[in-house]
């Protein structure tokens, strides 16, 4: 059965933070169940958004059309609007997902928005830096971990400079790859270890 992962779109979307995750989800190569996952984009409206890199993307659906039980995960990339009212609909949808036990993955500025909304007060988490989250005045500082990516009870958080770690945590939660495949992928893209490439090629045999 096809499962859908929803990628949130908004102006100033950080292009470099979600690419590894989306490519790994949409590309069936090396997957346990090829073709069982697909990424769909969701915006506050269907109007085109403009990314930090200047790309214009049209959302496939709107937040008010998205129900948690129709999704395998909501991915919230970083952005420059996380601390404005424009981002409130996305934190509201993240809360709805978590309340329904559907996972959410947030990176960079999106973690700041979740912290402001109180969604990091009782979950182990990370972000760009402890100081970044402390500026929003949230109540979860004791649960902050200085790591590239952290997963706790359906919520993945990551630093904006750790897109590969972010993707790995997403892949683990979605159970896309066998452990040895994921280890090889991570060795290649995170550690730049050529052995990872050859290990992936062996999986094609």
């Amino acid at each position: 059965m096809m499962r859908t992962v929803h990628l949130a779109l908004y102006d100033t979307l950080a292009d470099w933070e979600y690419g590894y995750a989306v490519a790994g989800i949409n590309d069936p190569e090396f997957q346990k169940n090829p073709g069982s996952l697909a990424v769909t984009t969701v915006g506050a409206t269907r109007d085109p958004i403009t990314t930090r890199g200047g790309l214009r993307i049209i959302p496939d659906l709107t937040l008010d059309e998205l129900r948690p039980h129709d999704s395998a995960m909501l991915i919230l990339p970083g952005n420059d609007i996380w601390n404005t009212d424009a981002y409130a609909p996305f934190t509201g949808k993240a809360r709805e997902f978590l309340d329904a036990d559907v996972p959410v993955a947030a990176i960079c500025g999106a973690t700041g928005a979740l912290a402001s909304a109180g969604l990091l007060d009782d979950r182990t988490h990370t972000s760009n830096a402890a100081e970044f989250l402390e500026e929003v005045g949230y109540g979860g500082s004791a649960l902050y971990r200085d790591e590239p990516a952290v997963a706790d009870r359906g919520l993945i958080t990551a630093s904006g400079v750790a897109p590969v770690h972010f993707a790995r945590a997403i892949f683990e939660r979605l159970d896309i790859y066998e452990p040895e495949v994921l280890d090889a992928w991570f060795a290649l893209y995170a550690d730049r270890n050529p052995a990872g490439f050859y290990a992936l090629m062996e999986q094609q045999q």
Side-chain angles (χ1 to χ4, degrees):
M1 181 177 178
M2 174 69 72
R3 295 185 297 159
T4 302
V5 174
H6 289 88
L7 174 70
L9 298 185
Y10 22 72
D11 285 328
T12 72
L13 182 76
D15 308 69
W16 60 93
E17 293 176 352
Y18 62 87
Y20 287 103
V22 169
I25 294 168
N26 275 340
D27 186 350
E29 189 174 25
F30 308 120
Q31 291 186 10
K32 288 182 180 180
N33 301 296
S36 63
L37 282 170
V39 177
T40 292
T41 57
V42 57
T45 71
R46 290 181 183 264
D47 294 335
I49 65 95
T50 303
T51 72
R52 280 289 299 276
L55 299 179
R56 284 170 56 83
I57 309 175
I58 300 174
D60 296 312
L61 75 162
T62 61
L63 286 174
D64 59 3
E65 297 173 309
L66 175 59
R67 296 174 296 181
H69 69 262
D70 292 329
S71 182
M73 177 181 286
L74 175 64
I75 299 177
L76 301 172
N79 57 86
D80 292 338
I81 63 168
W82 65 268
N83 59 348
T84 71
D85 290 341
Y87 203 72
F90 295 94
T91 54
K93 187 60 66 172
R95 183 184 300 277
E96 186 180 333
F97 265 60
L98 293 172
D99 287 346
D101 293 324
V102 180
V104 172
I107 184 171
C108 194
T111 65
L114 297 188
S116 295
L119 293 175
L120 303 186
D121 286 354
D122 62 352
R123 285 180 169 86
T124 304
H125 59 274
T126 192
S127 182
N128 297 329
E131 295 80 4
F132 173 71
L133 293 186
E134 287 169 1
E135 290 179 0
V136 309
Y138 81 126
S141 58
L143 296 174
Y144 183 86
R145 300 293 180 267
D146 187 16
E147 300 175 15
V150 171
D152 184 19
R153 291 184 293 125
L155 179 61
I156 295 166
T157 50
S159 163
V161 293
V164 176
H165 294 76
F166 185 54
R168 179 176 64 172
I170 288 171
F171 298 156
E172 288 176 337
R173 178 65 197 216
L174 294 173
D175 195 27
I176 297 176
Y177 302 111
E178 297 291 352
E180 61 272 18
V181 173
L182 186 54
D183 287 346
W185 179 90
F186 190 76
L188 176 60
Y189 289 103
D191 301 331
R192 302 181 305 282
N193 185 343
F197 172 80
Y198 294 111
L200 286 175
M201 293 304 99
E202 288 179 1
Q203 298 299 320
Q204 292 182 323
Q205 303 305 317

